[in-house]
Amino acid sequence: MSKQINVTIWNEFRHEKSNEIVKKLYPQGMHKAIADGISADDLNIRLASLDDPEHGLTEEVVNSTDVLLWWGHCHHGDVKDEIVKRVHKRVLEGMGLIVLHSGHFSKIFKAVMGTNCSLKWREVGEKMRLWNIEPSHPIAQGIGEYFELKNEEMYGERFDIPQDGKIIFISWFEGGEVFRSGVAFERGHGKVFYFSPGHETYPTYYDKNVLKVIGNAVRWAKPLIYQEHTAPNAKPLEAIRTPNPHTVSAGIVQDVDGNTKK
Ligand code: ZN
């Protein structure tokens, strides 16, 4: 069997402790529901949350994670900047990142996007219809032309994200708004996917289509390489015969390999 994908599902995990509706829906947390829902032989899944030491994202955990999922909402500000830096660095080196729902305002999503990531919202439990507009994309496999969630929070445009993402899902809400609900990006060597459904008071993370998309996204975001970012000074591959005007005027002789001597 080929190597498993090491998945870490990070959840703020506070609503589940403080809100009765959420506690009842997700007694062990949304991260556990997602883990159970996408569980498969090719995935090795760990859970992490805000109140764990180092938010459950120690160097060791981050460096052994292939794909990190992120759900946060009211406590983005409690996530330590040094942990965000650690995760961001790893994304640029190759780790996949899947940001869910209200994670749009997380420090890590803003860092990888470089924009405000703001949007419009309304929480009345209206119907959401997600249109699959990129059926050939790996993330859209097994999903029909569209699927619906009976109750969701409305997230509407304008969503302040960069334009270099590939839009996989566009959603429509009963109240009339539309939203780019599934967008795939590349940052450094890492792949990033934002997927909008997942308000904590609805059973969204039990929906088979939502889980299918998340599972597909994990496999799509799996790193093909890890590479640290360096900025090396490079020897030329071919002889450079053009005299360097700066070294010539300074009386410095430069050989074809770029080595200099007075
Ligand atoms: Zn929400």
Side-chain angles (χ1 to χ4, degrees):
M1 201 182 93
S2 64
K3 190 179 161 283
Q4 284 183 308
I5 304 172
N6 292 315
V7 181
T8 303
I9 306 180
W10 190 91
N11 180 13
E12 193 173 278
F13 198 27
R14 285 192 182 164
H15 289 299
E16 293 93 331
K17 296 166 187 162
S18 61
N19 178 315
E20 285 305 319
I21 297 168
V22 186
K23 198 184 288 183
K24 213 169 160 188
L25 262 177
Y26 299 108
Q28 295 172 279
M30 284 178 275
H31 48 345
K32 180 67 165 69
I34 294 168
D36 291 346
I38 66 170
S39 168
D41 289 345
D42 62 333
L43 306 181
N44 173 36
I45 304 176
R46 281 182 293 202
L47 305 180
S49 59
L50 182 59
D51 295 319
D52 295 343
E54 298 186 49
H55 311 321
L57 298 172
T58 59
E59 286 276 3
E60 195 219 325
V61 169
V62 171
N63 290 341
S64 60
T65 295
D66 295 316
V67 182
L68 176 66
L69 279 71
W70 194 280
W71 195 103
H73 182 214
C74 286
H75 305 281
H76 297 312
D78 291 353
V79 178
K80 292 192 194 94
D81 291 339
E82 71 201 69
I83 306 293
V84 177
K85 268 188 199 155
R86 181 183 292 166
V87 171
H88 192 182
K89 177 174 178 283
R90 196 63 179 160
V91 170
L92 297 178
E93 288 171 355
M95 182 176 75
L97 176 68
I98 298 169
V99 176
L100 300 168
H101 189 59
S102 40
H104 73 90
F105 256 169
S106 62
K107 289 180 179 178
I108 185 59
F109 191 59
K110 287 179 169 185
V112 293
M113 292 294 103
T115 52
N116 286 313
C117 304
S118 51
L119 46 76
K120 219 178 260 173
W121 64 280
R122 174 175 61 240
E123 215 285 271
V124 295
E126 66 204 272
K127 182 159 93 176
M128 175 183 192
R129 181 179 296 136
L130 292 95
W131 289 94
N132 172 6
I133 64 163
E134 216 51 74
S136 63
H137 196 279
I139 293 178
Q141 296 313 296
I143 303 295
E145 188 182 13
Y146 67 87
F147 69 95
E148 293 176 348
L149 296 168
K150 192 174 158 214
N151 305 109
E152 249 303 341
E153 178 180 11
M154 186 282 291
Y155 272 9
E157 297 286 346
R158 184 175 181 262
F159 185 20
D160 188 38
I161 51 171
Q163 292 287 3
D164 65 309
K166 184 156 198 168
I167 304 168
I168 318 286
F169 298 103
I170 290 181
S171 57
W172 165 92
F173 288 87
E174 211 173 337
E177 287 83 357
V178 295
F179 190 68
R180 287 166 286 170
S181 278
V183 191
F185 297 89
E186 291 177 13
R187 289 293 181 268
H189 300 300
K191 298 193 186 80
V192 178
F193 182 59
Y194 174 76
F195 191 45
S196 79
H199 186 69
E200 66 274 9
T201 59
Y202 305 117
T204 300
Y205 293 124
Y206 296 108
D207 180 86
K208 68 174 186 6
N209 285 304
V210 168
L211 293 167
K212 181 83 185 158
V213 169
I214 294 173
N216 287 348
V218 165
R219 292 166 181 100
W220 166 80
K222 177 184 88 164
L224 299 178
I225 60 153
Y226 277 109
Q227 192 166 301
E228 274 198 54
H229 288 258
T230 56
N233 181 256
K235 293 271 187 216
L237 296 179
E238 315 293 340
I240 296 171
R241 303 196 184 280
T242 307
N244 180 335
H246 303 305
T247 51
V248 169
S249 62
I252 294 167
V253 178
Q254 183 172 290
D255 69 19
V256 294
D257 290 325
N259 299 314
T260 56
K261 62 173 190 270
K262 266 271 190 199

